[in-house]
């Protein structure tokens, strides 16, 4: 996003019941199942969901105790937790197939550490990290509000709150904010489409959602009815994988920065931390967030790139978008290099990533979340580099 003038910017989110997010959740459940048994398992799991059918496919390397039957059971439990007990998609009735097979030996030999060779990247690619001080989470505001609307609906549904009675798991939101000189100053439009039981009409759902909108958006940002679009098609009863096929990795912009920053192209879910598509994107977010949290810049974008089988990044690039506080970007790159090793091994050890911590990431964004020390989740959202960054730049 630019930093001058007045403009509108929009981001979207989708709920954990969206077909693509059901697929992401199952893929990350498979990953967590393997990591629970062996922290160094290798997993690249893709999931397809459609009407009462789920297909798991991909490559794995892990203990024999992780059987297809266990993975199918855990996939069912993930669907149950999301809340699908519908005729067209039911956790107990869906036919689930497991077609996972052994990881390619050619990939393994490039990734595995051996002799004097360090652990290499699981693939080539470019990854981006981003942070901005326009929200407390140091995330783009349109995306955070879009996530928070759906997260609040989910919280109320999960406790059986009468205020959302009749709303079902599949939902999408979209938030358009007005910016002046790079800062959000108000909401211009909000879209929420949510699956619902047949007895509810569009007006009733809009009345349900209006208080949630007021709760989530800052004071004074309420949009008029003419700019609050609820189920614009009029009805949304058939939803989830019964209404639309879901696939792992199709919501990468929802997962990251809502379009406010570049994306390298790789998806996250279902991939163990040797896959730099995931681990390096997390590390880049970690560094960018600490740079902004340290007050060195209002915005920070980082790009890192890798070659398959090679440990160290082929490049590291910083862009402070002209918001740096007397910070030289070349010096910043060198300082960061001394604080965090951006090799696959360095990342996963620094952020403690060889743990079953991924199912929770599969909905409402991988970034802008709250770290949980006890569970070891969202370690890449910590700001524990702030003091060292400040010292390096005399703050």
């Amino acid at each position: 996003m630019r930093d001058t003038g007045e403009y509108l910017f929009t981001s979207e989110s989708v709920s954990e019941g969206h077909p693509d997010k059901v697929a992401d959740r199952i893929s990350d459940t498979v990953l967590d199942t393997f990591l629970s048994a062996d922290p160094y398992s290798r997993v690249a799991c893709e999931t397809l969901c459609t009407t009462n059918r789920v297909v798991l496919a991909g490559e794995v390397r892990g203990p024999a105790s992780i059987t297809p039957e266990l993975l199918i059971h855990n996939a069912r439990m993930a669907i149950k937790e999301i809340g699908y007990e519908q005729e067209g998609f039911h956790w107990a009735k869906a036919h689930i197939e497991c077609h996972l097979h052994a990881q390619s030996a050619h990939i393994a030999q490039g990734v595995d550490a051996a002799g004097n060779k360090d652990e290499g990247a699981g693939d080539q690619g470019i990854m981006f990290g981003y942070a901005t001080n326009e929200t407390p989470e140091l995330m783009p505001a349109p995306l955070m509000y879009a996530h928070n609307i759906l997260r609040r609906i989910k919280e109320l549904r999960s406790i059986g709150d009468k205020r959302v009675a009749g709303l079902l798991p599949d939902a999408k939101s979209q938030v358009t904010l007005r910016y002046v000189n790079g800062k959000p100053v108000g909401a211009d439009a909000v879209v929420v489409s949510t699956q619902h039981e047949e007895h509810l009409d569009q007006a009733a759902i809009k009345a349900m959602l209006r208080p949630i909108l007021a709760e989530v958006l800052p004071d004074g940002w309420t949009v008029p009815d003419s700019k609050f679009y609820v189920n614009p098609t009029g009805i949304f009863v058939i939803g989830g994988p019964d209404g639309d096929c879901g696939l792992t990795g199709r919501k990468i912009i929802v997962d990251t920065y809502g379009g406010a920053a570049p994306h390298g192209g790789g998806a996250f879910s279902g991939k163990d931390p040797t896959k730099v598509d995931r681990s390096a994107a997390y590390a880049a977010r970690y560094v960018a967030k600490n740079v902004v949290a340290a007050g060195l810049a209002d915005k920070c974008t980082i790009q890192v790139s890798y070659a398959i089988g090679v440990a160290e990044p082929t490049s590291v690039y910083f862009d402070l978008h002209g918001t740096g506080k007397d910070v030289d970007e070349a010096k910043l790159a060198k300082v960061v290099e001394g604080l965090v090793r951006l090799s696959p091994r360095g990342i996963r050890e620094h952020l403690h990533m060889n743990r079953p911590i991924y199912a929770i990431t599969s909905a409402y964004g991988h970034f802008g979340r709250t770290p949980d020390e006890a569970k070891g989740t969202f370690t890449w959202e910590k700001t524990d580099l702030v003091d060292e960054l400040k010292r390096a730049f005399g703050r």
Side-chain angles (χ1 to χ4, degrees), residues 13-22 84 150-151 154 168-173 362-364:
S13 181
V14 297
S15 72
E16 76 277 9
H18 184 281
D20 295 330
K21 282 292 149 198
V22 174
Y84 275 113
L150 296 185
R151 188 182 289 116
K154 183 249 185 177
L168 298 174
D170 191 0
K172 302 177 75 172
S173 65
S362 60
Y364 310 113

Side-chain angles (χ1 to χ4, degrees), residues 160-366:
D161 196 295
K162 293 186 293 185
R163 287 175 288 177
V164 294
L167 300 189
L168 298 174
D170 191 0
K172 302 177 75 172
S173 65
Q174 185 171 283
V175 174
T176 301
L177 298 186
R178 187 172 69 259
Y179 281 73
V180 176
N181 295 327
K183 299 294 183 183
V185 297
D188 186 78
V190 175
V191 183
V192 181
S193 296
T194 177
Q195 187 187 14
H196 59 89
E197 294 177 357
E198 289 190 53
H199 69 275
L200 290 175
D201 61 21
Q202 193 178 33
I205 296 169
K206 194 170 191 177
M208 284 180 175
L209 298 180
R210 175 59 82 176
I212 292 173
L213 196 65
E215 180 181 343
V216 168
L217 294 178
D219 291 343
W221 283 28
T222 303
V223 296
D225 270 0
S226 62
K227 290 294 191 79
F228 185 26
Y229 304 95
V230 174
N231 287 4
T233 62
I235 187 169
F236 186 6
V237 173
I238 300 172
D242 186 30
D244 192 10
C245 182
L247 293 170
T248 301
R250 286 206 302 197
K251 287 292 177 284
I252 57 176
I253 302 305
V254 171
D255 286 343
T256 54
Y257 306 105
H263 192 292
F268 300 157
S269 290
K271 297 178 180 178
D272 74 77
T274 67
K275 279 72 172 175
V276 286
D277 276 342
R278 182 170 220 160
S279 57
Y282 286 5
R285 160 62 180 174
Y286 171 65
V287 172
K289 183 177 183 181
N290 275 269
V291 168
V292 175
L296 303 184
D298 295 337
K299 296 181 183 180
C300 178
T301 296
I302 300 171
Q303 183 203 64
V304 291
S305 65
Y306 294 86
I308 187 168
V310 179
E312 298 301 325
T314 55
S315 67
V316 179
Y317 164 78
F318 280 81
D319 182 1
L320 302 182
H321 303 274
T323 70
K325 315 297 183 183
D326 297 320
V327 173
D328 178 74
E329 288 154 343
K331 178 182 177 181
L332 179 60
K334 291 181 180 179
V335 169
V336 167
E337 185 179 356
L339 298 177
V340 184
R341 189 180 172 212
L342 293 175
S343 65
R345 183 197 296 272
I347 292 168
R348 64 177 176 79
E349 291 181 351
H350 190 100
L351 297 178
H352 308 290
M353 296 184 71
N354 287 98
R355 294 183 287 186
I357 57 173
Y358 296 103
I360 194 175
T361 69
S362 60
Y364 310 113
H366 294 244

Side-chain angles (χ1 to χ4, degrees), residues 97-173:
E97 302 174 26
C98 182
H99 299 285
L100 294 164
H101 60 83
Q103 183 188 49
S104 161
H106 293 167
I107 293 176
Q109 72 183 6
V111 175
D112 291 346
N116 293 326
K117 176 187 174 298
D118 196 2
E119 179 181 303
D123 202 351
Q124 71 175 47
I126 56 174
M127 298 84 208
F128 288 91
Y130 179 71
T132 172
N133 63 6
E134 62 188 54
T135 65
E137 299 87 359
L138 303 184
M139 287 286 288
L143 180 64
M144 287 310 301
Y145 295 132
H147 282 326
N148 290 343
I149 289 168
L150 296 185
R151 188 182 289 116
R152 184 57 178 154
I153 295 171
K154 183 249 185 177
E155 289 169 353
L156 294 175
R157 283 186 57 253
S158 67
I159 61 174
D161 196 295
K162 293 186 293 185
R163 287 175 288 177
V164 294
L167 300 189
L168 298 174
D170 191 0
K172 302 177 75 172
S173 65

